[in-house]
Amino acid sequence: IGEIILYSFGYLEARDMARKLVQTYRLCSEQLSSQDHYDYGMRAVIAVLRAAGNLKRKFADEAEDVLMLRALTDVNLPKFLDQDVPLFRGILSDLFPGVKLPEIDYDNLNDALTNATARAKLQPLDNFFEKIIQLYEMIIVRHGLMLVGESYGMKSSCISVLADALGELNEKGLNGEQKVKYYCLNPKSITMGQLYGAEDPVSKEWADGILAVTFRNAARDTSPDRKWVVFDGPVDAIWIENMNTVLDDNKKLCLNSGEIVAMSSVMNMIFEVNDLAVASPATVSRCGMVYLEPHQLGWRPLCLSWLNTFPETIKQTFKDRVLALFDWLVPVSIRFMKREIKEAAETTYEGTNVAVNLMRTFKSLLVEQLADPKGLIASIKREADMQKHVDSCFVFSLAWSIGGTANSNEGRLAFDEFVRVAYKGELDLPHGDNTVYQGPSGEKYNLPEDIPEGHMTTQTPPPPDEVKTKDLEGNLVSTRATIYDFRWDVSKSEWVPWENDIDKSPIPPEMGFKQIIVPTVDTVRYLFLADLSIQNNNPILFCGPTGTGKSVYMQGHLLNMDKEKWAPPNFVGFSAKTSSNITQYLIDAKMDKRRKGYYGPPIGKRIAIMVDDLNMPQKEVYGAQPPIELLRQFMDYGGWYDRENNFRNMQDCLFVAAM
């Protein structure tokens, strides 16, 4: 088959090239790791042949083995895991000995990507651009493709930055590119009938689904712009199987109503998925794959982008200090957390989301002072006092972000011990050949032994080692204190035990028994953290066993917030039988219409939506939980679709949750 198709494209050495193609796939299937998204079947062969045909038309005089090698590389390289790439390159170098690929000229696209990245306030990483170019090449050869990989793997950013860059190329009239219109939806946040369309069981009238409307609008749009329909949500064998006719060479969406909508040549179907564990081979073979791994991003680029959001009045020395603290303590803390501590709720393997949590907490502590140019940060004249302040805020944030996922007292004690040892610079760090150790002021050393005496300790001590409390007889006793027992008081610039913040006033006699909460160290610190997050618009999740007061803390706090700034909170409880439609109804019912397509609490106020028992909705056959997918669509895109298939943008809403 390969030989015949290659002859039809004008290849003269078609027989040899077809043999090499088949041999490549045979060796790949034998030698590479087995992943859900790998496919070496007939459709994969056709994709390579199609790419080879495009290249032959574009570079008619180029050597045929170079064209074939380029087609194989372009179509297959994006989908391989990092560990399989060297093996794949080895197979190709055996089959195409001595063949060197010429560099492709992507200068215009790279310039546009750099500008688009700057506009999106992201970091211009080489592997980010490499993945975007692979995505771009895949869009040219396949009309259906999947971006596969875990959270924080840059999937959504790849799509938005590429769309922006192609729009810029179009404005400048370069590369013959067109602007991009893209439509995003989460297929699991709604029912199948709401996705594709369904008959009303009573009136037998046909009601269109969101996908049907979006697809039809894109297909009927006669402008030369590229149109992408992006599905950001889990793929399972039920809803995706109905897309089979769209994803293969028919390119037609067939609806239950009998309507058939053909895809236009400028349309692409793009799927953003975590994994393909439950997708059928039929689906996998129909789509091009681009695999992204979170470790290619890591937490550091996110930290650099975050530092750029600080006000311009902040001195560069402050930013350098913060970045040095991150470089010094975050990698070892994440490594310690993943190896030694049992987490209450699983976080990403690379620890990126706890690092982001650290950034949010740190900035929330200092937000008032950062906003005020004459505030504390500016008024601290001595560099040492400034560093003490920054370091202490950092240690507090570290304890309640990376150390905050520990699920027991033992975990917290272990993390406390670790931070104190790390702080004194006595960590026995594992080091390979290329590890670079960094002191707190940004100095770089190759080996721990090279670090000068006293260089790994900083100006401020961590919180005290012991805390004095009174026993039942009223005698002072000292107990072992951890970093979890103190907070850094930003206004006084000192460590304060949580004990000091406990409200000692007697309980009013008229208070109902059910309303009484006896204040303890726990109530004080958890409400402090909740308030810090809520006031700075960061969603927060309380995890813990039943009966530890999660719901009570949150409800009491939300009901007592400033009535001038906050609308009455909305409490939503999840159970095993909760559906995404019920969740949507409960939340939408409390919203006012602001203007066309925009909803929110009364103007000038914000609303907190408290979701209790977040983990409760029953999993479907293939593992998705639609109510949670609905909340995820809000987190990613700022709203969701109503029953008339229009997108509802929700403003001034904040989700907090407990489980």
Side-chain angles (χ1 to χ4, degrees):
I1 291 173
E3 187 185 343
I4 293 166
I5 291 179
L6 286 173
Y7 272 131
S8 75
F9 285 143
Y11 277 75
L12 301 175
E13 303 166 19
R15 165 145 248 179
D16 289 350
M17 294 303 118
R19 273 188 179 152
K20 288 185 176 187
L21 166 59
V22 174
Q23 197 65 15
T24 304
Y25 275 158
R26 220 195 71 223
L27 289 168
C28 283
S29 63
E30 289 167 1
Q31 294 186 11
L32 270 51
S33 65
S34 63
Q35 303 290 332
D36 295 319
H37 64 276
Y38 286 3
D39 166 59
Y40 309 112
M42 199 58 230
R43 285 197 178 97
V45 172
I46 290 289
V48 176
L49 295 172
R50 206 176 285 144
N54 292 346
L55 289 166
K56 184 71 177 171
R57 276 195 289 280
K58 213 167 172 184
F59 308 105
D61 305 329
E62 186 65 77
E64 291 184 359
D65 52 357
V66 172
L67 296 180
M68 196 65 200
L69 180 56
R70 154 119 302 136
L72 272 165
T73 311
D74 287 357
V75 173
N76 292 296
L77 200 60
K79 72 180 171 195
F80 290 130
L81 274 70
D82 278 2
Q83 71 219 36
D84 286 336
V85 170
L87 293 169
F88 177 66
R89 290 195 190 277
I91 291 171
L92 289 185
S93 65
D94 291 349
L95 287 169
F96 295 88
V99 179
K100 281 275 177 284
L101 284 182
E103 284 292 312
I104 305 185
D105 170 26
Y106 276 129
D107 291 352
N108 290 342
L109 180 57
N110 273 325
D111 292 345
L113 287 174
T114 308
N115 297 339
T117 307
R119 282 194 291 276
K121 296 187 170 58
L122 302 173
Q123 300 300 310
L125 305 179
D126 292 343
N127 49 15
F128 180 47
F129 284 4
E130 185 188 330
K131 283 295 170 191
I132 293 180
I133 286 170
Q134 289 177 354
L135 170 66
Y136 175 65
E137 287 170 344
M138 196 61 79
I139 282 171
I140 292 168
V141 254
R142 312 283 287 250
H143 63 280
L145 57 138
M146 292 189 172
L147 289 164
V148 186
E150 294 183 0
S151 304
Y152 286 109
M154 319 183 276
K155 301 191 293 293
S156 302
S157 299
C158 279
I159 294 174
S160 56
V161 169
L162 177 59
D164 191 8
L166 293 180
E168 184 182 314
L169 288 176
N170 172 257
E171 282 167 23
K172 293 180 178 170
L174 298 169
N175 295 22
E177 261 314 327
Q178 301 297 341
K179 285 212 269 303
V180 178
K181 294 176 182 168
Y182 64 102
Y183 315 89
C184 303
L185 65 145
N186 186 329
K188 294 306 294 181
S189 65
I190 43 179
T191 63
M192 279 277 284
Q194 286 156 0
L195 183 65
Y196 288 105
E199 256 185 8
D200 185 290
V202 181
S203 66
K204 300 294 179 208
E205 269 187 23
W206 177 260
D208 265 331
I210 296 168
L211 171 60
V213 172
T214 309
F215 194 92
R216 193 184 297 125
N217 291 346
R220 286 183 183 166
D221 188 340
T222 52
S223 67
D225 303 342
R226 292 179 179 275
K227 289 104 186 164
W228 301 343
V229 183
V230 180
F231 298 87
D232 184 357
V235 158
D236 65 37
I238 302 176
W239 77 265
I240 194 85
E241 287 291 317
N242 298 322
M243 299 279 289
N244 280 354
T245 48
V246 181
L247 296 173
D248 60 25
D249 290 349
N250 295 317
K251 292 193 180 185
K252 290 187 173 77
L253 178 65
C254 307
L255 299 170
N256 267 358
S257 58
E259 182 185 3
I260 294 175
V261 190
M263 213 169 163
S264 67
S265 59
V266 289
M267 278 175 71
N268 288 86
M269 311 300 277
I270 302 178
F271 302 87
E272 257 188 75
V273 293
N274 198 39
D275 57 51
L276 292 172
V278 292
S280 67
T283 304
V284 176
S285 68
R286 280 177 166 83
C287 291
M289 297 288 165
V290 181
Y291 187 75
L292 294 100
E293 298 181 79
H295 74 77
Q296 293 177 331
L297 176 68
W299 57 267
R300 203 168 188 278
L302 297 170
C303 185
L304 293 171
S305 296
W306 168 74
L307 284 172
N308 292 341
T309 64
F310 281 61
E312 289 172 5
T313 49
I314 298 299
K315 294 181 193 148
Q316 190 57 40
T317 50
F318 171 84
K319 293 185 182 177
D320 293 343
R321 180 80 187 169
V322 175
L323 186 59
L325 284 165
F326 268 85
D327 281 334
W328 174 37
L329 283 175
V330 168
V332 284
S333 301
I334 289 174
R335 185 186 171 94
F336 179 83
M337 178 192 79
K338 288 292 174 193
R339 291 187 164 197
E340 307 292 335
I341 290 180
K342 205 160 176 240
E343 294 179 285
E346 194 183 353
T347 55
T348 54
Y349 179 70
E350 306 299 327
T352 319
N353 57 345
V354 283
V356 169
N357 192 4
L358 169 54
M359 295 170 210
R360 287 176 177 168
T361 311
F362 182 81
K363 194 169 181 183
S364 302
L365 280 173
L366 293 174
V367 73
E368 286 170 17
Q369 301 164 346
L370 292 171
D372 174 13
K374 295 192 176 63
L376 190 83
I377 298 281
S379 68
I380 298 177
K381 290 287 180 281
R382 286 183 51 226
E383 194 70 18
D385 293 347
M386 162 78 181
Q387 290 183 356
K388 170 182 163 187
H389 193 66
V390 171
D391 293 0
S392 301
C393 284
F394 182 84
V395 169
F396 177 83
S397 307
L398 184 78
W400 289 107
S401 55
I402 298 178
T405 60
N407 73 345
S408 66
N409 266 346
E410 289 82 47
R412 287 188 176 180
L413 285 169
F415 192 76
D416 169 72
E417 188 85 14
F418 161 79
V419 170
R420 291 177 191 275
V421 171
Y423 219 78
K424 291 174 188 159
E426 294 167 359
L427 269 194
D428 195 12
L429 292 173
H431 58 278
D433 306 330
N434 53 0
T435 313
V436 173
Y437 295 101
Q438 183 151 2
S441 306
E443 324 86 345
K444 297 234 181 345
Y445 310 105
N446 290 328
L447 292 170
E449 300 85 79
D450 302 343
I451 301 166
E453 194 63 39
H455 256 243
M456 278 296 251
T457 54
T458 50
Q459 270 71 9
T460 171
D465 281 330
E466 57 177 31
V467 61
K468 296 258 190 292
T469 51
K470 287 185 179 172
D471 62 10
L472 295 174
E473 281 83 47
N475 306 317
L476 271 181
V477 288
S478 67
T479 55
R480 172 170 173 202
T482 66
I483 49 177
Y484 297 95
D485 293 327
F486 295 84
R487 72 178 175 85
W488 178 252
D489 190 317
V490 180
S491 50
K492 293 183 190 162
S493 273
E494 61 181 25
W495 289 103
V496 179
W498 292 108
E499 295 257 339
N500 296 6
D501 297 347
I502 296 176
D503 180 10
K504 304 272 196 319
S505 55
I507 294 164
E510 70 277 2
M511 212 168 177
F513 181 70
K514 285 182 91 170
Q515 297 167 297
I516 297 173
I517 296 181
V518 178
T520 63
V521 170
D522 279 343
T523 58
V524 171
R525 61 184 169 192
Y526 295 134
L527 290 181
F528 175 85
L529 292 164
D531 189 58
L532 193 66
S533 285
I534 291 166
Q535 299 303 343
N536 291 286
N537 214 29
N538 298 323
I540 185 171
L541 171 64
F542 275 4
C543 290
T546 313
T548 45
K550 300 182 296 294
S551 315
V552 180
Y553 291 161
M554 277 287 195
Q555 287 171 0
H557 183 66
L558 294 177
L559 290 167
N560 290 333
M561 287 199 306
D562 185 353
K563 304 283 189 287
E564 296 292 310
K565 294 180 185 168
W566 292 87
N570 188 356
F571 297 108
V572 179
F574 277 3
S575 71
K577 292 293 176 207
T578 305
S579 71
S580 57
N581 282 0
I582 292 173
T583 308
Q584 196 173 342
Y585 173 75
L586 289 172
I587 294 170
D588 284 348
K590 297 273 179 87
M591 299 290 171
D592 300 351
K593 185 170 183 176
R594 293 186 165 183
R595 55 192 161 95
K596 187 172 189 259
Y598 287 83
Y599 297 80
I603 287 186
K605 292 189 176 183
R606 289 159 61 200
I607 186 170
I609 299 158
M610 160 77 187
V611 180
D612 209 353
D613 296 322
L614 180 71
N615 56 334
M616 281 294 278
Q618 193 172 354
K619 288 187 175 179
E620 295 185 343
V621 183
Y622 292 105
Q625 292 168 289
I628 297 177
E629 291 301 327
L630 182 80
L631 299 186
R632 195 165 77 87
Q633 177 151 348
F634 168 82
M635 300 281 178
D636 285 347
Y637 301 104
W640 45 56
Y641 287 88
D642 62 16
R643 295 292 77 88
E644 278 72 59
N645 302 335
N646 299 316
F647 193 77
R648 291 174 66 106
N649 288 290
M650 290 156 60
Q651 298 176 317
D652 297 326
C653 299
L654 174 70
F655 280 90
V656 293
M659 66 180 197

